[in-house]
Amino acid sequence: CFSSELFSFLLSSPSRRGLFCALRGRAIPPLHPPFHLLRLASLKIHMSGIVVPRNFRLLEELEKGEHGVGDGTVSYGLVDPQDITLTNWHGTILGPLNTVFQNRIYSLKIRCGERYPNVAPKVSFTTRINLGCVIKATGVVDPAKCGVLKNWNSKYGLENVLNDIKREMMSPANRKLPQPAEGSMY
């Protein structure tokens, strides 16, 4: 039995609608991704409202990422569209104008662990970059030096992380740093 709030949440998008159908034992449209295999085991209902489970939150972010984010200078999606755990993501940041990053495309790996969104994702660049919040040898974004990761809140999402890194690229301390050769990777 579902509460009316959860029912509305489940039916508010095609991805969640398919999951709802699977949970109710109904057929799912054939072209729908395999998200119907997700379980509701982590669903917790409190007196104050619903705590949205990790997978529902990530489905929401996937849907948002597929439709484009903000001004189009950041994007993200699943590495493997068949990944029902919604763990491994890729991100892209277009280098901000009027910086040394301009006209470059930066690729990132993002890992949303089992405790996401309560715990920040792990983020690393696959494209080489010289940036204050990135460990030069590995490309890992240092959570202690990245505002959103340092002050993580469960209301933040992947878009917040990518936009914060983009803001870091535009900061006076980073906007003119010498960069590795274009196209070099970690």
Side-chain angles (χ1 to χ4, degrees):
C1 183
F2 295 99
S3 72
S4 62
E5 293 163 338
L6 179 58
F7 184 75
S8 298
F9 175 77
L10 288 170
L11 296 181
S12 66
S13 81
S15 300
R16 290 190 297 265
R17 196 169 23 259
L19 180 60
F20 177 75
C21 290
L23 294 171
R24 298 289 290 184
R26 296 195 177 113
I28 297 173
L31 296 176
H32 199 278
F35 298 120
H36 64 280
L37 301 175
L38 302 174
R39 293 180 290 146
L40 279 177
S42 61
L43 180 62
K44 300 174 189 162
I45 299 177
H46 297 285
M47 297 300 280
S48 61
I50 296 175
V51 174
V52 179
R54 171 192 182 275
N55 291 343
F56 285 170
R57 171 68 180 275
L58 287 169
L59 279 172
E60 195 171 12
E61 291 199 47
L62 176 61
E63 189 174 313
K64 189 175 181 182
E66 287 176 341
H67 291 96
V69 182
D71 62 3
T73 58
V74 299
S75 63
Y76 57 90
L78 282 173
V79 170
D80 177 8
Q82 301 303 315
D83 176 13
I84 62 170
T85 64
L86 306 172
T87 300
N88 297 306
W89 297 70
H90 59 85
T92 304
I93 299 175
L94 300 179
L97 297 174
N98 304 316
T99 68
V100 294
F101 309 104
Q102 183 174 332
N103 296 326
R104 291 190 179 197
I105 299 172
Y106 293 91
S107 298
L108 301 92
K109 292 186 298 187
I110 306 165
R111 181 170 175 80
C112 297
E114 289 183 19
R115 296 184 50 220
Y116 181 87
N118 297 321
V119 174
K122 307 289 183 212
V123 183
S124 61
F125 278 83
T126 56
T127 309
R128 280 202 177 274
I129 189 168
N130 183 14
L131 189 62
C133 64
V134 176
I135 300 169
K136 289 182 185 180
T138 60
V140 172
V141 176
D142 184 352
K145 295 180 180 177
C146 180
V148 166
L149 296 176
K150 182 179 182 178
N151 302 307
W152 185 255
N153 179 320
S154 63
K155 293 188 184 345
Y156 295 156
L158 301 179
E159 179 183 0
N160 299 105
V161 172
L162 294 172
N163 279 321
D164 192 56
I165 293 170
K166 186 178 81 170
R167 268 190 299 280
E168 193 68 29
M169 295 165 106
M170 295 185 296
S171 76
N174 293 313
R175 68 183 311 129
K176 296 189 186 239
L177 287 176
Q179 294 300 307
E182 191 169 351
S184 55
M185 308 295 273
Y186 284 103

